[in-house]
Amino acid sequence: MSNPTFALLILLFPAAGALLLAGRGWRLPRVFTVIIGPGVVWLSFVATLALFFGKASGDFTYWTWIKSGAFEVPFNLLVDNLSIFMCLVITGVGGLIVTYSVGYMEHEDDPSYARFFTYMDIFIFSMLLLVLAGNFIFLIVGWALVGLSSYLLIGFWYQRHSAVVAARKAFVMNVIGDVGMILGTFILFVNFHSVTYSSVFALLTPGCPPLRECPQNLFLRHITDSPALELAAFFLLVGAVAKSAQLPLHTWLPDAMEGPTPVSALIHAATMVTAGVYLVGRMHPIYDIAVYAHAAVAIVGAVTALFAATIAIVQVDIKRVLAYSTMSQIGYMFLAVGIGAYSFGFFHLLSHAFFKALLFMAAGNVIHAMHDEQDMRKYGGLWGQMRPTSVAFLVGSLSLVGVIPFVGFFSKEQILGAAFSKPDDSAVQLLWFIGFLTALITGFYTGRMWWLSFWGKPSPQRPVEHPHAPRLVMMVPVGILAVLATIGGFIQTRALGIGPSAVSDFLNPVVGPVRWEGGGGEIAVTFLTMILATALFAGALRLRPWSSYAPWAQRLLERKYYFDEIYDAAFVRPMDWVAAFAQRDIEGPVIDAAVVDTGQLTRWGAGELSLTQSGYFRNYVLVFVGGAVVVAVALLVRANL
């Protein structure tokens, strides 16, 4: 098969799986769902491997979707190293998560079981469309479908009010991002008269496109001096911030933990929340020129990383700790792409997919064994009872902290090293310090999570005295991810001055290389960061609670800096008041009354008019003669005038 066919099959496999499960899955035996649900994702993974090993690249157009005069929107898929990289992450790690779901969701009844895998396949299809789209229109379509499918997955247990509210909150926040994406695309279309990546990016890179009459240097000078490109980049950043749960559109992510744990792993590890990082990387020709928007990406990332890490310190729900950890790690990725170290940001995306999916699924094993209990204070002593899961969670935790030789060390420290060593940029040095401080806090809250959950004696509040071991179908994906989190970093060791840099070498043709190199100071700071973070991880076992001498800080962090309360007071309550006022004083007395009164007036008029229907012939003749007289008089008057 040709490369365009393989690219299309990557999309068609999960789409076909979703259609099959939606149409017949609930009627057929469960084995049908077990095969189709994960199977189509793995088929997409195989098709992606075919493109990867075939070194495929190209902008494949399949048909013209819209054509009106000079305006044309093709259905085209852009296959390059970046889209292949993202597809490998989505289908590879996503396939492991969907396979894990076979065991985790086993207690659901057959219709709900099939419905769950239908939603999962729709989500995978949406993410693949997002990263393979070759134009802004289908990027927005994929972007919106990801928001819709995440809404369905977060609210999967729709019988629970909290799940419905969380799904609605995620949907609203993502729609805000969708509006930003649409406005940014509109501005680009007005200025570039095209919606395809190739046409837009060709005008922003060296060399004049052959179909343009204006010289490249004149157009670049015009677009650089114009605020339009900065404005478009900022609007696109709104979409990235909402999808990746960065400040200030982050409040949906912790509440998204209401969904099943595999959903949390899929959304927070390898797919949805990394879409914003992909967007900035894909649009790097725009952000490389829009310097203010580019700087905003780095600032948002660094601030969010520290903000989320501090909140994670006080969380007692194991999934919420991991959720805030996700926000923090995505912040590192934003920091990387915001300073131009695109390949480093994408390597951390890959690294994060390994260890965060591992952490969520290992946590899922515990939650499954504990009858859905998620409060870490009610665990304890699991090291001796769930040893394989405990080891897997420890591997993921050490990778999150950034301990060598786990994959998180190589990816996170590479970002911090790039920020530390960037020449002649004191602002980036400040961002490095924020990232450094975040790494230390990460060590503490991760250690607190691990020691509280797995060490010591079992809590007397445990719902289960002897937790059961997870099924093999749940442990195999966890084991694979544990191996990847342990050895995955060795594909990118050049940051330490030795070995390969496979991810950077693979992505550099698309996003460009990092244009500065660190030295011995960077390596020294890297190891200092790791040592301090590891010490805090170990020390979390013995550190005294600090809430007793800083209760105000405890309250501040428990209330998540009062963002939900501020949004409620600034937006939700005023909108509720406006809605109540409109219903009480406008809709009822004005709009509804106008309709009702019109009907009543018509009925009254018809009643009055019906009085003229007497049934006497002489009355009708009299009316006729009277009308004729009136017409005759009117004609005479008009003739005399």
Side-chain angles (χ1 to χ4, degrees), residues 627-641:
V629 170
V630 171
V631 171
V633 171
L635 291 174
L636 288 173
V637 172
R638 182 178 180 185
N640 291 330
L641 292 176

Side-chain angles (χ1 to χ4, degrees), residues 557-603:
L557 297 180
E558 286 178 345
R559 303 303 298 182
K560 299 163 286 188
Y561 294 95
Y562 294 94
F563 264 87
D564 284 317
E565 289 80 0
I566 292 171
Y567 287 167
D568 187 64
F571 301 108
V572 178
R573 291 182 186 177
M575 291 303 296
D576 286 345
W577 181 87
V578 169
F581 168 78
Q583 183 182 29
R584 183 184 66 249
D585 297 331
I586 297 177
E587 184 175 354
V590 178
I591 299 175
D592 289 348
V595 175
V596 172
D597 290 350
T598 300
Q600 290 177 344
L601 180 63
T602 303
R603 181 183 239 177

